[in-house]
Amino acid sequence: MIKWHEERIIPVNIETIWTLFELENIQRIMPNVVENKVIEKKEGVVGSKYEQKYKEGKRIETYIVEDLEYENIPDKKHNKIGFTLAKAFQVEAAFTLVKVDENETRFIYQGQNTGLNFLGKTLLKLGGEKNNKKVVTDFMDRVEEEALVEAKK
């Protein structure tokens, strides 16, 4: 199992950053997600399910994402999702925004990737912590870049 927990301060208003996590904007922060369609929308978001298609090189992986936790109050935004990838990995990821002040937001990205079978466990060991850290950092950088672009609009 690989776990991560990274935090950074982004010099942008919490509401501006939160819009990037809406379905229609998700490709801005997750460009490899080529399709994201709602299968089941639940009141209060938790339990909602989406079919997501993710492009990795020439391959497209399709999986079901479920909202596991959701909070949207003025000082805190939080969404935790879970999905099984290629029958080999169980992934959980949580995105949390905490308002520092009007122009600063703490962005917390945490999660875990668990190998479900021999193949999944082996691939996690081969991919390793270093590769995962790069993926996490790249994602956080993209969120910050897009938040700064959005803030200038």
Side-chain angles (χ1 to χ4, degrees):
M1 179 193 312
I2 291 179
K3 289 186 168 201
W4 65 92
H5 181 123
E6 297 293 327
E7 298 188 19
R8 72 168 60 166
I9 299 290
I10 298 177
V12 176
N13 180 281
I14 189 170
E15 297 294 341
T16 304
I17 301 172
W18 190 236
T19 63
L20 297 172
F21 288 87
E22 291 172 2
L23 273 184
E24 61 271 16
N25 293 324
I26 210 79
Q27 279 180 304
R28 290 178 59 185
I29 55 173
M30 299 177 190
N32 291 10
V33 172
V34 291
E35 197 179 303
N36 198 7
K37 77 176 180 229
V38 178
I39 294 174
E40 190 179 353
K41 194 85 171 138
K42 298 270 177 140
E43 196 179 332
V45 182
V46 173
S48 296
K49 292 183 179 162
Y50 313 86
E51 181 185 85
Q52 223 170 56
K53 291 187 178 178
Y54 183 89
K55 191 170 182 178
E56 183 80 46
K58 290 184 173 147
R59 215 176 69 241
I60 293 183
E61 233 12 281
T62 302
Y63 48 89
I64 305 299
V65 177
E66 182 175 357
D67 285 309
L68 303 173
E69 297 172 1
Y70 186 84
E71 187 177 8
N72 184 356
I73 57 175
D75 291 349
K76 184 180 178 196
K77 317 288 182 189
H78 172 77
N79 190 13
K80 181 178 181 181
I81 60 169
F83 58 94
T84 300
L85 190 56
K87 298 187 180 106
F89 308 103
Q90 177 61 42
V91 181
E92 286 188 357
F95 317 101
T96 308
L97 301 175
V98 179
K99 182 176 181 174
V100 176
D101 60 36
E102 285 309 311
N103 303 308
E104 280 192 330
T105 305
R106 179 181 307 281
F107 173 37
I108 305 158
Y109 178 38
Q110 58 193 352
Q112 64 184 42
N113 188 344
T114 309
L116 294 176
N117 52 27
F118 179 75
L119 175 68
K121 289 174 183 158
T122 304
L123 289 170
L124 277 186
K125 280 189 184 124
L126 292 173
E129 294 277 346
K130 201 171 167 186
N131 184 47
N132 190 67
K133 188 146 180 64
K134 182 185 178 338
V135 170
V136 169
T137 303
D138 288 352
F139 174 69
M140 294 188 79
D141 290 346
R142 202 167 316 109
V143 170
E144 184 168 4
E145 285 162 23
E146 287 298 327
L148 292 166
V149 167
E150 193 61 27
K152 288 185 178 122
K153 286 185 177 176

